[in-house]
PDB file of all heavy atoms in Angstrom:
ATOM      1  N   ASP A1355      12.582 -25.941  21.191  1.00  0.00           N
ATOM      2  CA  ASP A1355      11.289 -26.220  22.012  1.00  0.00           C
ATOM      3  C   ASP A1355      11.612 -27.060  23.255  1.00  0.00           C
ATOM      4  O   ASP A1355      11.977 -28.202  23.212  1.00  0.00           O
ATOM      5  CB  ASP A1355      10.325 -27.064  21.069  1.00  0.00           C
ATOM      6  CG  ASP A1355       8.949 -27.124  21.776  1.00  0.00           C
ATOM      7  OD1 ASP A1355       8.858 -27.393  22.927  1.00  0.00           O
ATOM      8  OD2 ASP A1355       7.931 -27.012  21.036  1.00  0.00           O
ATOM      9  N   GLN A1356      11.398 -26.416  24.428  1.00  0.00           N
ATOM     10  CA  GLN A1356      11.822 -26.945  25.612  1.00  0.00           C
ATOM     11  C   GLN A1356      10.903 -28.116  25.940  1.00  0.00           C
ATOM     12  O   GLN A1356      11.488 -29.315  26.548  1.00  0.00           O
ATOM     13  CB  GLN A1356      11.599 -26.088  26.790  1.00  0.00           C
ATOM     14  CG  GLN A1356      12.241 -26.514  28.161  1.00  0.00           C
ATOM     15  CD  GLN A1356      13.642 -26.819  28.034  1.00  0.00           C
ATOM     16  OE1 GLN A1356      14.498 -26.125  27.479  1.00  0.00           O
ATOM     17  NE2 GLN A1356      14.101 -28.131  28.717  1.00  0.00           N
ATOM     18  N   ALA A1357       9.728 -28.221  25.586  1.00  0.00           N
ATOM     19  CA  ALA A1357       8.780 -29.426  25.890  1.00  0.00           C
ATOM     20  C   ALA A1357       9.363 -30.615  25.047  1.00  0.00           C
ATOM     21  O   ALA A1357       9.350 -31.713  25.651  1.00  0.00           O
ATOM     22  CB  ALA A1357       7.379 -29.033  25.487  1.00  0.00           C
ATOM     23  N   GLN A1358       9.802 -30.362  23.929  1.00  0.00           N
ATOM     24  CA  GLN A1358      10.299 -31.520  23.121  1.00  0.00           C
ATOM     25  C   GLN A1358      11.695 -31.985  23.638  1.00  0.00           C
ATOM     26  O   GLN A1358      12.004 -33.173  23.608  1.00  0.00           O
ATOM     27  CB  GLN A1358      10.348 -31.039  21.651  1.00  0.00           C
ATOM     28  CG  GLN A1358       9.052 -30.867  20.916  1.00  0.00           C
ATOM     29  CD  GLN A1358       9.128 -30.237  19.517  1.00  0.00           C
ATOM     30  OE1 GLN A1358      10.274 -30.225  18.960  1.00  0.00           O
ATOM     31  NE2 GLN A1358       7.994 -29.965  18.924  1.00  0.00           N
ATOM     32  N   ARG A1359      12.535 -30.937  24.023  1.00  0.00           N
ATOM     33  CA  ARG A1359      13.816 -31.354  24.596  1.00  0.00           C
ATOM     34  C   ARG A1359      13.709 -32.200  25.952  1.00  0.00           C
ATOM     35  O   ARG A1359      14.367 -33.139  26.230  1.00  0.00           O
ATOM     36  CB  ARG A1359      14.645 -30.128  24.862  1.00  0.00           C
ATOM     37  CG  ARG A1359      15.028 -29.360  23.591  1.00  0.00           C
ATOM     38  CD  ARG A1359      15.748 -28.087  23.928  1.00  0.00           C
ATOM     39  NE  ARG A1359      17.045 -28.367  24.657  1.00  0.00           N
ATOM     40  CZ  ARG A1359      18.114 -28.746  24.100  1.00  0.00           C
ATOM     41  NH1 ARG A1359      18.274 -28.640  22.780  1.00  0.00           N
ATOM     42  NH2 ARG A1359      19.272 -28.748  24.719  1.00  0.00           N
ATOM     43  N   ASP A1360      12.473 -31.890  26.616  1.00  0.00           N
ATOM     44  CA  ASP A1360      12.235 -32.577  27.863  1.00  0.00           C
ATOM     45  C   ASP A1360      12.023 -34.041  27.674  1.00  0.00           C
ATOM     46  O   ASP A1360      12.273 -34.946  28.466  1.00  0.00           O
ATOM     47  CB  ASP A1360      11.090 -31.984  28.624  1.00  0.00           C
ATOM     48  CG  ASP A1360      11.508 -30.628  29.235  1.00  0.00           C
ATOM     49  OD1 ASP A1360      12.641 -30.347  29.398  1.00  0.00           O
ATOM     50  OD2 ASP A1360      10.585 -29.805  29.628  1.00  0.00           O
ATOM     51  N   ILE A1361      11.465 -34.323  26.430  1.00  0.00           N
ATOM     52  CA  ILE A1361      11.195 -35.743  26.121  1.00  0.00           C
ATOM     53  C   ILE A1361      12.590 -36.555  25.984  1.00  0.00           C
ATOM     54  O   ILE A1361      12.683 -37.751  26.580  1.00  0.00           O
ATOM     55  CB  ILE A1361      10.371 -35.825  24.793  1.00  0.00           C
ATOM     56  CG1 ILE A1361       8.924 -35.196  24.926  1.00  0.00           C
ATOM     57  CG2 ILE A1361      10.257 -37.363  24.418  1.00  0.00           C
ATOM     58  CD1 ILE A1361       8.195 -35.229  23.786  1.00  0.00           C
ATOM     59  N   ILE A1362      13.441 -35.943  25.414  1.00  0.00           N
ATOM     60  CA  ILE A1362      14.758 -36.605  25.245  1.00  0.00           C
ATOM     61  C   ILE A1362      15.406 -36.667  26.693  1.00  0.00           C
ATOM     62  O   ILE A1362      16.047 -37.734  26.996  1.00  0.00           O
ATOM     63  CB  ILE A1362      15.762 -35.674  24.334  1.00  0.00           C
ATOM     64  CG1 ILE A1362      15.097 -35.540  23.093  1.00  0.00           C
ATOM     65  CG2 ILE A1362      17.129 -36.215  24.216  1.00  0.00           C
ATOM     66  CD1 ILE A1362      15.959 -34.793  21.977  1.00  0.00           C
ATOM     67  N   PHE A1363      15.273 -35.690  27.574  1.00  0.00           N
ATOM     68  CA  PHE A1363      15.830 -35.864  28.831  1.00  0.00           C
ATOM     69  C   PHE A1363      15.123 -36.987  29.547  1.00  0.00           C
ATOM     70  O   PHE A1363      15.695 -37.777  30.475  1.00  0.00           O
ATOM     71  CB  PHE A1363      15.538 -34.697  29.594  1.00  0.00           C
ATOM     72  CG  PHE A1363      16.353 -33.393  29.216  1.00  0.00           C
ATOM     73  CD1 PHE A1363      15.905 -32.178  29.300  1.00  0.00           C
ATOM     74  CD2 PHE A1363      17.663 -33.627  28.523  1.00  0.00           C
ATOM     75  CE1 PHE A1363      16.580 -31.090  28.896  1.00  0.00           C
ATOM     76  CE2 PHE A1363      18.335 -32.452  27.997  1.00  0.00           C
ATOM     77  CZ  PHE A1363      17.925 -31.331  28.194  1.00  0.00           C
ATOM     78  N   GLU A1364      13.693 -37.163  29.419  1.00  0.00           N
ATOM     79  CA  GLU A1364      13.040 -38.268  29.983  1.00  0.00           C
ATOM     80  C   GLU A1364      13.522 -39.590  29.486  1.00  0.00           C
ATOM     81  O   GLU A1364      13.622 -40.689  30.203  1.00  0.00           O
ATOM     82  CB  GLU A1364      11.648 -38.216  29.592  1.00  0.00           C
ATOM     83  CG  GLU A1364      10.651 -39.243  30.256  1.00  0.00           C
ATOM     84  CD  GLU A1364      10.484 -39.189  31.762  1.00  0.00           C
ATOM     85  OE1 GLU A1364      11.138 -38.280  32.427  1.00  0.00           O
ATOM     86  OE2 GLU A1364       9.989 -40.149  32.249  1.00  0.00           O
ATOM     87  N   LEU A1365      13.948 -39.703  28.277  1.00  0.00           N
ATOM     88  CA  LEU A1365      14.497 -41.022  27.593  1.00  0.00           C
ATOM     89  C   LEU A1365      15.822 -41.306  28.368  1.00  0.00           C
ATOM     90  O   LEU A1365      16.006 -42.510  28.687  1.00  0.00           O
ATOM     91  CB  LEU A1365      14.688 -40.864  26.170  1.00  0.00           C
ATOM     92  CG  LEU A1365      13.543 -40.712  25.177  1.00  0.00           C
ATOM     93  CD1 LEU A1365      14.019 -40.380  23.799  1.00  0.00           C
ATOM     94  CD2 LEU A1365      12.737 -41.983  25.227  1.00  0.00           C
ATOM     95  N   ARG A1366      16.607 -40.358  28.625  1.00  0.00           N
ATOM     96  CA  ARG A1366      17.764 -40.621  29.272  1.00  0.00           C
ATOM     97  C   ARG A1366      17.592 -41.029  30.750  1.00  0.00           C
ATOM     98  O   ARG A1366      18.119 -41.904  31.364  1.00  0.00           O
ATOM     99  CB  ARG A1366      18.792 -39.367  29.317  1.00  0.00           C
ATOM    100  CG  ARG A1366      20.023 -39.669  29.991  1.00  0.00           C
ATOM    101  CD  ARG A1366      20.765 -38.300  30.366  1.00  0.00           C
ATOM    102  NE  ARG A1366      21.856 -38.812  31.265  1.00  0.00           N
ATOM    103  CZ  ARG A1366      21.624 -38.898  32.664  1.00  0.00           C
ATOM    104  NH1 ARG A1366      20.463 -38.647  33.158  1.00  0.00           N
ATOM    105  NH2 ARG A1366      22.629 -39.190  33.427  1.00  0.00           N
ATOM    106  N   ARG A1367      16.631 -40.326  31.442  1.00  0.00           N
ATOM    107  CA  ARG A1367      16.328 -40.579  32.818  1.00  0.00           C
ATOM    108  C   ARG A1367      15.875 -41.969  33.108  1.00  0.00           C
ATOM    109  O   ARG A1367      16.260 -42.650  33.970  1.00  0.00           O
ATOM    110  CB  ARG A1367      15.393 -39.599  33.321  1.00  0.00           C
ATOM    111  CG  ARG A1367      14.965 -39.741  34.857  1.00  0.00           C
ATOM    112  CD  ARG A1367      13.856 -38.965  35.138  1.00  0.00           C
ATOM    113  NE  ARG A1367      12.729 -39.565  34.625  1.00  0.00           N
ATOM    114  CZ  ARG A1367      12.120 -40.841  35.102  1.00  0.00           C
ATOM    115  NH1 ARG A1367      12.655 -41.342  36.275  1.00  0.00           N
ATOM    116  NH2 ARG A1367      10.998 -41.404  34.480  1.00  0.00           N
ATOM    117  N   ILE A1368      14.936 -42.467  32.194  1.00  0.00           N
ATOM    118  CA  ILE A1368      14.384 -43.779  32.327  1.00  0.00           C
ATOM    119  C   ILE A1368      15.544 -44.831  32.203  1.00  0.00           C
ATOM    120  O   ILE A1368      15.542 -45.847  32.942  1.00  0.00           O
ATOM    121  CB  ILE A1368      13.296 -44.071  31.336  1.00  0.00           C
ATOM    122  CG1 ILE A1368      12.067 -43.180  31.533  1.00  0.00           C
ATOM    123  CG2 ILE A1368      12.818 -45.543  31.284  1.00  0.00           C
ATOM    124  CD1 ILE A1368      11.025 -43.210  30.510  1.00  0.00           C
ATOM    125  N   ALA A1369      16.479 -44.687  31.247  1.00  0.00           N
ATOM    126  CA  ALA A1369      17.432 -45.552  30.938  1.00  0.00           C
ATOM    127  C   ALA A1369      18.564 -45.594  32.072  1.00  0.00           C
ATOM    128  O   ALA A1369      19.076 -46.669  32.394  1.00  0.00           O
ATOM    129  CB  ALA A1369      18.121 -45.448  29.725  1.00  0.00           C
ATOM    130  N   PHE A1370      18.977 -44.426  32.616  1.00  0.00           N
ATOM    131  CA  PHE A1370      20.064 -44.348  33.473  1.00  0.00           C
ATOM    132  C   PHE A1370      19.757 -43.807  34.828  1.00  0.00           C
ATOM    133  O   PHE A1370      20.490 -42.984  35.445  1.00  0.00           O
ATOM    134  CB  PHE A1370      21.128 -43.529  32.888  1.00  0.00           C
ATOM    135  CG  PHE A1370      21.533 -44.080  31.511  1.00  0.00           C
ATOM    136  CD1 PHE A1370      21.165 -43.397  30.283  1.00  0.00           C
ATOM    137  CD2 PHE A1370      22.239 -45.145  31.407  1.00  0.00           C
ATOM    138  CE1 PHE A1370      21.455 -43.753  29.097  1.00  0.00           C
ATOM    139  CE2 PHE A1370      22.565 -45.687  29.999  1.00  0.00           C
ATOM    140  CZ  PHE A1370      22.177 -44.967  28.926  1.00  0.00           C
ATOM    141  N   ASP A1371      18.427 -43.978  35.296  1.00  0.00           N
ATOM    142  CA  ASP A1371      17.966 -43.313  36.532  1.00  0.00           C
ATOM    143  C   ASP A1371      18.767 -43.840  37.694  1.00  0.00           C
ATOM    144  O   ASP A1371      18.999 -43.122  38.784  1.00  0.00           O
ATOM    145  CB  ASP A1371      16.591 -43.719  36.721  1.00  0.00           C
ATOM    146  CG  ASP A1371      16.084 -43.010  37.991  1.00  0.00           C
ATOM    147  OD1 ASP A1371      15.993 -41.703  38.068  1.00  0.00           O
ATOM    148  OD2 ASP A1371      15.471 -43.668  38.863  1.00  0.00           O
ATOM    149  N   ALA A1372      19.330 -44.988  37.738  1.00  0.00           N
ATOM    150  CA  ALA A1372      20.069 -45.592  38.853  1.00  0.00           C
ATOM    151  C   ALA A1372      21.364 -44.805  39.067  1.00  0.00           C
ATOM    152  O   ALA A1372      22.007 -45.051  40.073  1.00  0.00           O
ATOM    153  CB  ALA A1372      20.324 -47.158  38.732  1.00  0.00           C
TER     154      ALA A1372
END
Side-chain angles (χ1 to χ4, degrees):
D1355 190 316
Q1356 187 59 44
Q1358 295 178 1
R1359 293 175 63 87
D1360 287 344
I1361 296 177
I1362 297 177
F1363 295 150
E1364 179 68 5
L1365 292 174
R1366 181 201 166 275
R1367 185 196 67 77
I1368 294 174
F1370 307 107
D1371 185 59

